[in-house]
Amino acid sequence: MHEQFMQEALRLARMAYDAGEVPVGAVVVKDGQIVGRGFNSTETDKDPTSHAEIKAIREAAQTLGGWRLSGCSMYVTLEPCSMCAGAIVLARLDDLYIGTLDPKSGACLSLASIPSDDRLNHQVELHAGILQQECSAILKEFFRELRNKNTKAEE
């Protein structure tokens, strides 16, 4: 079941990739059904908050008719940043399933532990490594292509 939802998040990450965006996808699930989807579109939207997680939370809140997403889980291909980790806590998600970690800006397990910080009024259960190789591979491919484009542009 977990792999099925992460596969959908990966499908969304591929949509971001195809649009020239950092390939991150996220889904919010309640009672075995996807209620929110999102993929990165910061470049397209010219909006620094257009992260996959924020978009999935917004859609889930619309679908469910409220901002409290208790009883919901999120599946995301890359460990959330501090903005998204904070939004996950504020939305009251129960569980967060992470594909691959982000050692440079991950705020759930790598650089900080925002969702599980017991000083906050809500904690989110963290699970990492769901389809880790696939989630990591799409990011590596994207940044390899970006570096190649930049190198060719400099020549």
Side-chain angles (χ1 to χ4, degrees), residues 2-148:
H2 298 303
E3 289 185 1
Q4 171 190 341
F5 294 127
M6 192 61 78
Q7 284 289 355
E8 178 62 10
L10 272 165
R11 186 186 72 77
L12 293 163
R14 286 186 197 94
M15 291 173 68
Y17 185 111
D18 292 344
E21 301 280 353
V22 175
V24 178
V27 297
V28 175
V29 176
K30 183 171 179 79
D31 300 327
Q33 299 295 314
I34 294 174
V35 294
R37 290 177 169 83
F39 60 87
N40 277 5
S41 60
T42 55
E43 298 295 334
T44 303
D45 296 345
K46 300 185 181 7
D47 178 354
T49 67
S50 285
H51 287 201
E53 301 94 326
I54 300 295
K55 293 170 71 177
I57 287 169
R58 285 179 180 151
E59 186 174 294
Q62 285 290 118
T63 299
L64 298 173
W67 64 269
R68 289 179 187 87
L69 301 180
S70 299
C72 294
S73 300
M74 177 179 282
Y75 293 77
V76 62
T77 57
L78 180 65
E79 179 183 2
C81 69
S82 57
M83 174 184 69
C84 294
I88 288 164
V89 170
L90 292 172
R92 310 293 197 272
L93 289 164
D94 290 354
D95 292 277
L96 176 62
Y97 296 88
I98 300 167
T100 193
L101 299 181
D102 184 352
K104 293 188 177 183
S105 63
C108 299
L109 295 165
S110 296
L111 299 178
S113 300
I114 293 170
S116 58
D117 190 325
D118 62 7
R119 295 172 295 176
L120 300 174
N121 65 338
H122 179 75
Q123 289 79 45
V124 180
E125 189 76 30
L126 301 174
H127 314 270
I130 312 293
L131 298 181
Q132 189 275 331
Q133 288 183 329
E134 295 90 331
C135 292
S136 179
I138 191 171
L139 287 156
K140 287 178 182 175
E141 182 181 335
F142 176 81
F143 286 110
R144 183 173 33 255
E145 282 186 18
L146 188 62
R147 281 190 302 276
N148 288 341

